[in-house]
Amino acid sequence: MEKAHAYKGGGARNARGPQGNPTRGTTHTQRMRRVDRWLTGTQASLLRHGPAKVVDLGFGASPVTTVEMFTRLRDLNPDITVTGLEIEPARVAEAQPAAEAGLDFRLGGFEVPVRPDPAVIRAFNVLRQYREEDVADVWTLLTSRLSPGGILVEGTCDEIGRRACWATVDATGPVSLTLSTRLAGLEEPSELAERLPKALIHRNVPGERVHDLFTALDAAWARASVVAPFGLRQRWRAMCMDLVDQGWALLDGPHRWRLGELTVAWDQVAPLD
């Protein structure tokens, strides 16, 4: 892919035009439903009060997932405003018919040229084309655009949104890794490894912490087969409880586990170097 807007690190907002590389732009209805459900379920205190701003970075060839995000967040807080950013002018122009009060689409990249500063930036399926060594600088730039207490949610999902993994990053750095999957059809939790965010996807090898996590998940999933007759939710829950018993720092609980989610502290999966 031609890198028409190569990422070069920091700088003022729009000082050099949109920062970043064009994505393939592929999207699908309901593709981001898992991360949106996590946002409304776990970040309600951040989003519920006042006129919070949310940015969907790199919405792609269609604005559909930004529109869906707006609808879901408006159910939580009718004063939320959402801006979809794209680096390709043609995509921004094509998205304009979907704009409405509280929802707009603009040209922009990692410089995040919006005001007020967003409480949340969602950047999904954006960094996969970058080098692993670029990720930390991109995270630093994006989190510098957040309002106090805000978060970046950066990750990857499959084409129809059945499997997703994302990092939550704040001004101090990465906080957690979340795995979310449709349980029907899941053979082993390690199948989610191909959706890891760029910071981790090349680290799923023996000796790395994230590989240890997936090894522990697969083993616990196998042990939890004894409760499979009671349903896949019960099996996932038993797997998560097994991990907690082993000392893994899961940051959520049964109310999230029943959705096919788990969130682990970043220091449990961080790259060793």
Side-chain angles (χ1 to χ4, degrees):
M1 177 182 296
E2 181 183 359
K3 295 187 176 181
H5 307 273
Y7 173 68
K8 298 180 181 178
R13 297 183 190 219
N14 266 347
R16 296 188 300 271
Q19 298 178 39
N21 303 331
T23 66
R24 291 187 304 161
T26 54
T27 190
H28 194 284
T29 58
Q30 302 298 322
R31 191 180 186 190
M32 305 296 174
R33 64 188 181 277
R34 292 188 177 277
V35 65
D36 289 349
R37 181 178 63 187
W38 179 86
L39 279 171
T40 58
T42 70
Q43 304 301 314
S45 61
L46 180 63
L47 295 168
R48 182 175 286 131
H49 305 293
K53 165 66 76 175
V54 175
V55 167
D56 186 20
L57 179 63
F59 59 81
S62 164
V64 61
T65 54
T66 310
V67 173
E68 291 172 345
M69 181 190 202
F70 174 68
T71 300
R72 291 164 181 149
L73 294 182
R74 274 289 175 106
D75 286 341
L76 181 68
N77 177 357
D79 293 325
I80 279 179
T81 59
V82 174
T83 294
L85 292 180
E86 250 298 334
I87 202 168
E88 292 283 6
R91 294 176 183 173
V92 177
E94 291 167 4
Q96 294 309 315
E100 59 179 285
L103 172 65
D104 69 324
F105 300 92
R106 305 181 196 176
L107 187 67
F110 296 141
E111 77 287 354
V112 190
V114 302
R115 286 290 191 271
D117 291 338
V120 173
I121 299 173
R122 184 182 75 178
F124 251 65
N125 307 303
V126 171
L127 294 187
R128 286 182 73 86
Q129 65 180 306
Y130 290 81
R131 301 174 303 171
E132 182 182 343
E133 53 264 37
D134 291 333
V135 171
D137 285 343
V138 173
W139 281 358
T140 298
L141 177 56
L142 290 175
T143 55
S144 75
R145 305 320 196 205
L146 294 168
S147 61
I151 60 168
L152 164 67
V153 183
E154 188 271 306
T156 304
C157 63
D158 66 6
E159 289 73 10
I160 56 176
R162 291 186 176 183
R163 293 177 180 176
C165 301
W166 59 87
T168 300
V169 189
D170 65 16
T172 68
V175 174
S176 62
L177 172 71
T178 299
L179 312 180
S180 180
T181 186
R182 181 176 182 265
L183 294 174
L186 183 72
E187 295 294 330
E188 292 182 314
S190 58
E191 293 168 11
L192 277 80
E194 64 184 18
R195 300 298 167 184
L196 283 169
K198 188 68 176 188
L200 294 175
I201 194 165
H202 301 301
R203 300 302 182 129
N204 186 31
V205 294
E208 287 282 353
R209 295 185 181 102
V210 74
H211 185 270
D212 293 342
L213 172 65
F214 281 116
T215 299
L217 284 169
D218 283 352
W221 180 251
R223 288 190 291 271
S225 62
V226 295
V227 301
F230 299 100
L232 292 172
R233 289 181 176 181
Q234 291 299 319
R235 186 176 181 181
W236 185 268
R237 181 177 183 273
M239 176 197 73
C240 291
M241 293 177 65
D242 190 333
L243 258 68
V244 171
D245 289 343
Q246 294 178 53
W248 287 90
L250 299 194
L251 303 182
D252 49 12
H255 60 297
R256 303 307 302 178
W257 299 342
R258 66 182 299 275
L259 302 174
E261 281 182 20
L262 69 84
T263 296
V264 62
W266 185 260
D267 62 6
Q268 302 267 281
V269 295
L272 290 177
D273 59 359

